[in-house]
Amino acid sequence: MEEHMHDDATLGVMLARAAGEELLRVREVSGLEGRALGDAGDAAAQALLAGLLAEHRPADAVLSEEAKDSAMRLSADRVWIIDPLDGTREYSEGRADWAVHVALWEAGELVFGAVAIPGEDMVMDSSSVATVPAGEPGAPVRLAVSRSRPPAVTEPVRAALGAELVAMGSAGVKIAAVVRGQVDAYVHAGGQYQWDSAAPVALARAAGLHTSRIDGSPLVYNDPDPYLPDLVVCRPELAGPILAAIAGEPHGGTA
């Protein structure tokens, strides 16, 4: 197919869906399990995405969890930031709460993000996502946390807001859950990279949600260092109270 047949959003959705289908295929037919299955899935999804991007956007740079980083992306006008398999553990355990991330950065900003959740046959993208409706006044705040070990930063937020903790898998699934209204916030400070959050953050921004570092500063992508260890994604009305709780300040704003 020629490049002009796909605009960026159509291409991004296609990439995320295709990688998800490949991951499901590998899990079904490989006969592998555990770490070997996760490694095989990572490799297969990376190969598929790299091949499709080389075919359809050969002039664009790529930053991927599963490929060697190149300084060339720092002078590129357009960079695809991808995580071929977000949630390798969940994937290898046969769960559904893992994702594929495909984001596009252009001229200093995220301009597109697609998050596939293949276990639910779902692709959400920033070009078509609906604005998250306002929360119910007085409703309990639901906070997405890791199934295995919630980061310590979660506790002051839980205490300040009286939040209910909702355990689920990968970062992309957690951020998508805020977009879907399944939870109200996701706070993380345990170490992540740009590919862990670029696509879901683009999705969240398009849905009208607050996104920032835990100190309230902006999330910056295509930075020389791919490490981007912390973030807050939440309903806009919760941003003040959450950031104040993290900073150890008196409760700020209303929940």
Side-chain angles (χ1 to χ4, degrees), residues 2-64:
E2 297 295 326
E3 178 176 333
H4 69 262
M5 292 180 66
H6 292 290
D7 65 26
D8 291 326
T10 302
L11 175 63
V13 170
M14 184 269 280
L15 291 171
R17 186 177 299 281
E21 291 172 351
E22 176 67 2
L23 284 159
L24 290 173
R25 186 193 68 80
V26 168
R27 192 162 72 176
E28 181 177 348
V29 307
S30 68
L32 300 171
E33 57 186 29
R35 181 168 182 172
L37 174 58
D39 290 346
D42 277 329
Q46 169 63 27
L48 184 146
L49 290 171
L52 288 172
L53 283 169
E55 176 185 354
H56 294 291
R57 296 293 187 270
D60 293 353
V62 180
L63 172 62
S64 171

Side-chain angles (χ1 to χ4, degrees), residues 129-132 203-210 234-236:
V129 69
T131 301
V132 175
L203 180 70
R205 289 175 178 172
L209 296 170
H210 167 89
C234 65
R235 293 180 176 277

Side-chain angles (χ1 to χ4, degrees), residues 157-181:
V157 177
R158 185 207 62 76
L161 302 185
E164 299 176 358
L165 302 184
V166 182
M168 57 184 70
S170 74
V173 168
K174 293 185 186 80
I175 296 173
V178 187
V179 175
R180 298 167 73 183

